[in-house]
């Protein structure tokens, strides 16, 4: 725990994301963005942990994040993703989707594009609950059950899938370049293909028995048929979208809602989850194979970060250790990443050996020596 820096920021942090690092760069990630929620004035902020940030004041510890710039955000920040190294897209509780530009010479933020009330009810705002970027395309989902396709250089809405869901859609991820996967409050995963006209999903997977709301989803970076989800009961579910309609493995993870789940973008035997219960877990899957994990598609050294790289199109037929995952059989090791139980850990992001998370305790935690 000695390698964790805590920075108290006087605002509840809803989202944290590293700025993508080019594969040609030998540098560790050093810039990240945060969004806040449930504050009088919410903000999008850009922080640095590198030497090129704001000069250290006497009362700052070395390695503390330094605030580079911030911008007032209308409504709670319900999701935040880097579109590329300069542009950040946010989802708001007002239903708006905003694209900010980070001007690195002047260290300022400006609004580059605003899709106001992208998500809405007939007479009221509907929160935009999640988004995913594959530049220049942006896909957003909302409490209104809509899926919206936007383009960074286009002021209008390219496509709306009306009534995609009769319940709240909580999160979305790209499965392939033209396909997205959504999770909803009925415990369902739905696969959507933008090449198809109409408002029907191409596939539906769901939890059997109790319809536990699913809050988060992430796709395996190299084996796009493998998907992880987490929900209201704190369980971690692993799915193979090629097989059947139910999860292939489930693991007890947290004692309250799981807010985010992320595969490590390059060392895919590692996965991270965070929860309302105040914990942040690092999961490591060990396959029972003599073949090293990097020969099983476990590494992708040419990738940028998850949010700024096109979804993989490779045909990976190799078995993943995640699908046989069972923490009771020793296939999975879990490690608590935070020193003590705090208020809700709302967001986590990991890139290379660097991890950042944000909490309702108005703190940002940084770990630059994650063992992956």
């Amino acid at each position: 725990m000695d390698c964790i820096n805590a920075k108290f920021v006087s605002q509840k942090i809803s989202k944290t994301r590293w700025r993508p690092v080019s594969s040609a760069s030998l540098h560790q990630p050093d810039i990240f963005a945060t969004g806040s929620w449930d504050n009088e004035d919410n903000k999008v902020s850009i922080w640095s942990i590198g030497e090129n940030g704001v000069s250290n004041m006497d009362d700052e510890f070395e390695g503390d994040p330094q605030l580079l710039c911030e911008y007032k955000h209308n409504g709670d920040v319900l999701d935040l993703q880097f579109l590329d190294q300069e542009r950040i897209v946010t989802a708001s509780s007002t239903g708006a989707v905003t694209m900010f530009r980070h001007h690195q010479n002047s260290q300022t933020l400006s609004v580059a594009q605003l899709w106001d009330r992208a998500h809405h009810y007939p007479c009221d705002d509907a929160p935009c609950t999640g988004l995913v970027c594959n530049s220049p395309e942006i896909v957003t989902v909302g409490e209104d059950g809509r899926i919206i396709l936007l383009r960074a250089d286009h002021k209008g809405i390219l496509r709306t899938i009306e009534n995609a869901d009769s319940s709240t859609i909580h999160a979305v991820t790209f499965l392939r370049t033209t396909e997205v996967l959504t999770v909803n409050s009925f415990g369902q995963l739905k696969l959507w293909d933008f090449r198809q006209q109409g408002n029907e999903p191409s596939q539906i997977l769901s939890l059997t028995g109790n319809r536990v709301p699913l809050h988060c989803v992430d796709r395996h970076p190299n084996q796009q048929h493998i998907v992880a989800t987490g929900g209201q009961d704190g369980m971690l579910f692993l799915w193979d979208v090629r097989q059947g309609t139910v999860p292939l493995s489930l693991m007890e993870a947290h004692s309250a809602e799981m807010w985010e789940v992320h595969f490590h973008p390059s060392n895919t035997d590692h996965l991270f989850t965070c929860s309302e219960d105040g914990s942040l877990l690092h999961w490591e899957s060990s396959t029972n194979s003599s073949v090293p994990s990097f020969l099983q598609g476990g590494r992708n050294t040419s990738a940028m970060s998850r949010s700024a790289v096109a979804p993989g199109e490779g045909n990976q037929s190799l078995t993943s250790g995640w699908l046989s995952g069972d923490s009771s059989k020793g296939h999975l090791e879990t490690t608590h990443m935070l020193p003590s139980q705090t208020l809700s850990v709302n967001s986590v992001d990991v890139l290379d050996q660097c991890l950042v998370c944000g909490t309702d305790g108005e703190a940002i935690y940084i770990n630059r020596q994650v063992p992956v």
Side-chain angles (χ1 to χ4, degrees), residues 158-297:
L158 289 185
R159 175 151 179 215
T160 302
I161 300 180
E162 298 278 358
N163 304 314
D165 228 301
S166 57
S167 67
T168 297
I169 306 175
H170 287 293
V172 59
T173 189
F174 273 103
L175 203 62
R176 297 177 184 83
T177 307
T178 59
E179 293 177 308
V180 296
L181 195 68
T182 60
V183 293
N184 68 15
S185 54
F186 285 161
Q188 294 174 315
L189 283 78
K190 293 185 180 181
L191 180 61
W192 306 86
D193 189 337
F194 283 118
R195 294 170 298 188
Q196 297 178 1
Q197 298 304 310
N199 295 342
E200 296 300 318
S202 55
Q203 192 177 348
I204 299 177
L205 300 90
S206 64
L207 302 172
T208 54
N210 295 334
R211 299 245 160 171
V212 177
L214 293 174
H215 290 303
C216 53
V217 60
D218 196 30
R219 187 213 67 193
H220 191 287
N222 304 325
Q223 297 173 295
Q224 58 264 41
H225 54 91
I226 298 172
V227 174
T229 64
Q232 188 167 297
D233 58 359
M235 298 286 286
L236 173 64
F237 297 94
L238 275 300
W239 311 70
D240 185 339
V241 298
R242 303 171 307 178
Q243 300 177 21
T245 57
V246 295
L248 288 189
S249 61
L250 57 156
M251 288 143 277
E252 291 185 6
H254 298 279
S255 59
E257 294 94 333
M258 186 190 296
W259 293 131
E260 288 191 4
V261 56
H262 294 296
F263 286 101
H264 191 284
S266 52
N267 296 356
T268 55
D269 289 341
H270 299 264
L271 180 141
F272 299 83
T273 60
C274 63
S275 169
E276 179 73 26
D277 68 8
S279 64
L280 169 62
L281 291 179
H282 172 191
W283 302 73
E284 183 174 0
S285 164
S286 55
T287 52
N288 291 332
S289 167
S290 58
V291 182
S293 62
F294 62 85
L295 293 180
Q296 300 181 9

